[in-house]
Amino acid sequence: MNHLTGPDGATHEVFNQPPALENHNLFDTDVPLRELLAREGGRWGEERVRHLGATLGQRDWIARGFQANEQAPKFHSHDRFGHRIDQVEYHPAYHELLSLAVDSGLPTLPWTHPQPGAHVVRMALSYLYSQVEAGSGCPLTMTFAAVPPLRKLSPQAGQWLQKLLHGCYDPTNAPIAQKQGITIGMAMTEKQGGTDVRANTSRADEVEGELYRLTGHKWFCSAPMCDAFLVLAQAQGGLTCFLMPRWSPDGSKNALQIQRLKEKMGNRSNASSEIEFRDALAWRLGEEGRGVATIIEMVALTRYDCMIGSTALMRQAVAQVTHHIAHRSVLGKRLIDQPLMQNVAADLCLEVEGALAMTCRVARALDNQASEAERLLVRITTAVGKYWICKRATSQIGEAQECLGGAGYVEESILPRLYREAPVNSIWEGSGNVQCLDLLRAISRTPAVAEVFMEELGQARGGHRLYDAYLDRLGTLVTDLGDMEYRGRAVMERLALGFQGAQLIRAGNENVVDAFCRSRLQERLGYCFGNLPSGIDCRAIIERARPHSG
C-alpha cells in the first residue's frame, strides 16, 4: 500500500492511478502498425522494428526523451581563450538517442538496403522513434533526405555519401576526414523572404568549377551542429543550391557563424539557429539557376517525414489515453467502459489509423519509384498528407490531454511535450497554404497527377457504400481549377479523407472502415472529437490501439 506522508504521518492511500506506461514493446503493442508492415512489403524488417520498439519502450529510454527536452541546447560562440568555435552543447541523452536512431538505420536504410519494403521499414522505425523523442528527428530526416541531391555533387560526393551511409553517429566537431559518420542539415529561409526563397539575397561567387564562396544569412537553420548544409544562394545564373561544410577542405573552420539559437515553443531538444556566412566555401549542387529544382528532392522527403512525425505524436497520445482509461475509474466504473469516453477515445484512435495508413501508402510508393504512376502519387499525396495529418495532430493531442484531465496538462506527463511539438510539422517545410498552392501547381503543370490520385481512390470502390458516394461527389474536384487558390484547403481536406478511407478499406478491418466512413465521409454530427455515430464498436477500435501493458 502506498501512502503520502506529512509531518503527522500518513494522510491517505494512493489508489485509482494507472501504472506507468513503460517497459513494453512499442511495436508489439501497436496492432495497426504490425498489420501495415506485413501488408506493405516490410515483413523482412520486422525483427529490426521489433528490436527498436522494445528498446524505446524501456523506462531509461523514455527518460532520455524527457532529459533531452528539459535541458535545452546551449550555444557557445567562443572558447575561453577567445577563439570562435560556434559550438552547440546538448544534453548527453540527445546524443544517445541520435546514436540509437542512426544505428537503427533511420537516416540510411532505403539507401543502404534498396529492396522492396525498405521505405516501409524505415517509416516504421521513424514512427516508433518519434513517439519517444521527436526533436532529434530533425537532423535524422535532413540527413536521410540529403542523399538524392548529394548525388549531384562530383567529385566530392563520394566522400560525403560514404560517411553519411556509413551509419555511424559521430558528434565531434571536426573536419569530415576525421569523422566516422556525418549528418547533413538544410538552410533555405531568409528574413525578407520566408517561404519565398526566390527572394533570397545571399550571394554566391564562383571560385573554380563547382567551388564557390557564399556571403549572406539564413533566418532558420535547424541542427546547426550538422557537418554540412544544403543552402540556396544567388549565383550569376540565378538561385542555386550548394553544399556548405562547417570545415573547409584544408581543415580550417569555414566562415559560417551561428548568431543565436531560436527560443521555440516546442521542439526543445533540437537547436534551431540564425546563421551568417562570410565568404564561406561551398560546392554547387546541380546547375546554376536550378536551386529550387535541386533542393526540392530533399524537401519532398522531409515533408513526407513530417507526415510520419505527426502520426507518431498522435500515436503516442492515443497510447497514453487508452492506457489511462483502462486503469482509471470514475463513479465506480472504469473510463474505458463508459460510453462517452469510448466515443472520444475511439475517435482519437481512428485519426491515427487513417494517418498511418496514408503515410504507409506513400512509403510503398517511394519503394516503387520505377513506376511513373507511383512517382506521381508521391508528388500529390505528400502535399495532401503533409497538410492534413500535421494539422490534425494539434487538435487530436489537445483532446487527448483533456481525456487525462489535469494529469495530462502537467509536465510530468508526455502530453504537454507532444502538444508543443505538434505545430512544428505544419509550419516546417511549408505551411498549410504552401501545401495547397503546391497541390494546385502539381495539378496544373501535370494533370496526370490528379488522374493517378483518383485511380488510387477508385481501387477501393465497393468497399463501403458511403465511400462510394463520397468518391462520386469528389468528381471534378481536383480538375476544376477555377478558384482552386481560394478553396485549396477544402479540396485538401476532401482528398485527404478520401485517400485515408481508400487505404483503410484496403487494410480490411471492417469495424475501422465502417467507423471511419460513417464519421468522416458523410455529414458529421459535430466538429470535435467524440462525435462518432451510434452503433460503432468503439471498444474494438480502442483495443486495437491500446498498449496492453501493466
Side-chain angles (χ1 to χ4, degrees):
M1 182 181 298
N2 295 319
H3 293 85
L4 288 180
T5 59
D8 298 322
T11 62
H12 64 282
E13 178 187 354
V14 177
F15 66 100
N16 196 26
Q17 292 290 327
L21 182 55
E22 56 189 23
N23 299 327
H24 68 114
N25 190 310
L26 272 62
F27 175 69
D28 286 341
T29 57
D30 190 335
V31 174
L33 178 62
R34 297 204 318 266
E35 293 176 352
L36 282 168
L37 188 67
R39 189 175 68 253
E40 301 293 0
R43 190 183 294 276
W44 58 266
E46 186 173 292
E47 284 311 308
R48 179 193 290 255
V49 179
R50 175 173 285 111
H51 177 75
L52 182 62
T55 301
L56 291 168
Q58 297 305 302
R59 177 188 300 175
D60 55 343
W61 283 99
I62 294 172
R64 287 182 177 93
F66 278 90
Q67 292 162 1
N69 285 270
E70 290 165 355
Q71 303 294 322
K74 298 178 181 179
F75 171 51
H76 304 285
S77 59
H78 296 78
D79 66 15
R80 64 193 182 96
F81 302 106
H83 303 121
R84 184 91 197 193
I85 57 172
D86 293 287
Q87 185 86 27
V88 178
E89 177 188 354
Y90 297 87
H91 189 279
Y94 174 89
H95 296 300
E96 292 167 347
L97 284 157
L98 270 176
S99 181
L100 173 67
V102 174
D103 288 346
S104 300
L106 268 69
T108 58
L109 184 65
W111 316 127
T112 56
H113 296 75
Q115 59 183 300
H119 279 282
V120 172
V121 173
R122 188 252 171 193
M123 183 279 301
L125 293 166
S126 183
Y127 172 73
L128 295 180
Y129 180 83
S130 295
Q131 292 178 43
V132 174
E133 210 300 284
S136 53
C138 182
L140 293 169
T141 183
M142 292 189 295
T143 302
F144 160 69
V147 172
L150 271 180
R151 287 174 173 162
K152 299 180 182 299
L153 177 63
S154 177
Q156 291 82 10
Q159 184 182 23
W160 286 93
L161 283 171
Q162 180 185 17
K163 292 293 177 75
L164 187 159
L165 298 175
H166 187 220
C168 173
Y169 177 62
D170 183 348
T172 57
N173 183 11
I176 182 175
Q178 301 174 23
K179 301 195 62 164
Q180 295 297 310
I182 61 167
T183 53
I184 302 292
M186 174 173 54
M188 295 191 294
T189 307
E190 296 185 5
K191 297 182 182 75
Q192 72 286 346
T195 296
D196 183 11
V197 296
R198 296 190 184 278
N200 285 5
T201 60
S202 294
R203 187 182 74 253
D205 299 311
E206 183 178 353
V207 177
E208 181 181 5
E210 295 173 331
L211 188 63
Y212 288 66
R213 286 193 178 275
L214 273 59
T215 300
H217 83 283
K218 295 300 171 185
W219 188 230
F220 276 91
C221 175
S222 285
M225 295 314 291
C226 288
D227 297 285
F229 305 89
L230 268 67
V231 301
L232 296 176
Q234 301 286 354
Q236 186 174 357
L239 191 64
T240 305
C241 184
F242 298 89
L243 177 70
M244 179 184 293
R246 283 179 56 218
W247 292 84
S248 299
D250 64 3
S252 63
K253 186 180 179 301
N254 202 4
L256 186 159
Q257 295 183 353
I258 301 172
Q259 301 305 300
R260 62 172 176 168
L261 299 186
K262 299 285 192 181
E263 189 69 25
K264 296 171 296 183
M265 178 182 105
N267 200 240
R268 303 289 291 181
S269 66
N270 177 42
S272 296
S273 65
E274 299 169 23
I275 61 172
E276 290 185 356
F277 26 92
R278 307 174 184 187
D279 264 1
L281 288 170
W283 293 286
R284 173 169 50 82
L285 296 174
E287 302 174 8
E288 281 195 4
R290 297 282 296 165
V292 173
T294 299
I295 207 169
I296 200 66
E297 295 181 80
M298 184 178 188
V299 171
L301 289 173
T302 53
R303 285 177 175 173
Y304 157 68
D305 272 9
C306 287
M307 295 169 60
I308 300 175
S310 290
T311 305
L313 297 177
M314 290 193 287
R315 163 59 193 170
Q316 179 61 258
V318 155
Q320 296 294 325
V321 167
T322 55
H323 177 75
H324 177 85
I325 65 176
H327 295 89
R328 180 80 165 177
S329 295
V330 174
L331 300 176
K333 188 177 181 181
R334 285 192 309 164
L335 285 170
I336 199 171
D337 297 322
Q338 302 196 22
L340 192 53
M341 181 58 79
Q342 287 184 344
N343 194 327
V344 174
D347 209 0
L348 297 176
C349 294
L350 282 176
E351 199 64 39
V352 180
E353 291 255 12
L356 182 60
M358 185 179 200
T359 302
C360 197
R361 178 61 182 94
V362 177
R364 178 159 65 90
L366 286 168
D367 276 322
N368 293 278
Q369 289 298 279
S371 163
E372 174 67 13
E374 294 293 273
R375 288 199 300 272
L376 293 176
L377 191 65
V378 170
R379 175 71 181 88
I380 185 172
T381 309
T382 300
V384 174
K386 196 319 192 154
Y387 171 90
W388 181 244
I389 294 173
C390 296
K391 283 195 173 298
R392 292 293 284 175
T394 302
S395 56
Q396 192 259 14
I397 295 167
E399 188 69 55
Q401 284 186 289
E402 190 173 327
C403 290
L404 271 68
Y409 193 70
V410 298
E411 293 296 335
E412 291 171 313
S413 164
I414 196 174
L415 286 165
R417 170 151 57 97
L418 301 179
Y419 188 74
R420 290 193 300 270
E421 191 75 28
V424 72
N425 286 329
S426 281
I427 297 169
W428 193 49
E429 300 298 18
S431 64
N433 284 356
V434 171
Q435 303 310 311
C436 293
L437 295 175
D438 189 49
L439 173 69
L440 174 59
R441 187 182 305 111
I443 294 174
S444 59
R445 291 182 179 178
T446 313
V449 300
E451 298 171 9
V452 166
F453 190 90
M454 295 307 296
E455 287 173 5
E456 175 74 18
L457 268 60
Q459 293 178 20
R461 187 178 285 279
H464 194 282
R465 61 178 181 80
L466 291 176
Y467 176 82
D468 292 349
Y470 187 86
L471 197 56
D472 291 338
R473 292 195 299 273
L474 281 180
T476 60
L477 191 66
V478 294
T479 56
D480 179 9
L481 304 183
D483 60 346
M484 176 79 85
E485 190 168 332
Y486 180 79
R487 58 188 176 89
R489 290 189 171 215
V491 173
M492 278 289 206
E493 177 176 335
R494 285 161 177 77
L495 293 181
L497 290 173
F499 194 92
Q500 289 185 353
Q503 302 315 309
L504 292 175
I505 288 171
R506 181 171 177 269
N509 186 292
E510 294 184 3
N511 190 41
V512 170
V513 170
D514 185 59
F516 185 91
C517 292
R518 290 176 61 197
S519 63
R520 286 154 170 80
L521 301 188
Q522 64 177 347
E523 185 177 354
R524 292 182 65 94
L525 297 175
Y527 291 97
C528 294
F529 285 99
N531 278 288
L532 297 180
S534 299
I536 288 174
D537 189 348
C538 293
R539 185 61 179 269
I541 294 172
I542 293 169
E543 291 300 337
R544 280 174 55 81
R546 181 167 76 90
H548 291 263
S549 173

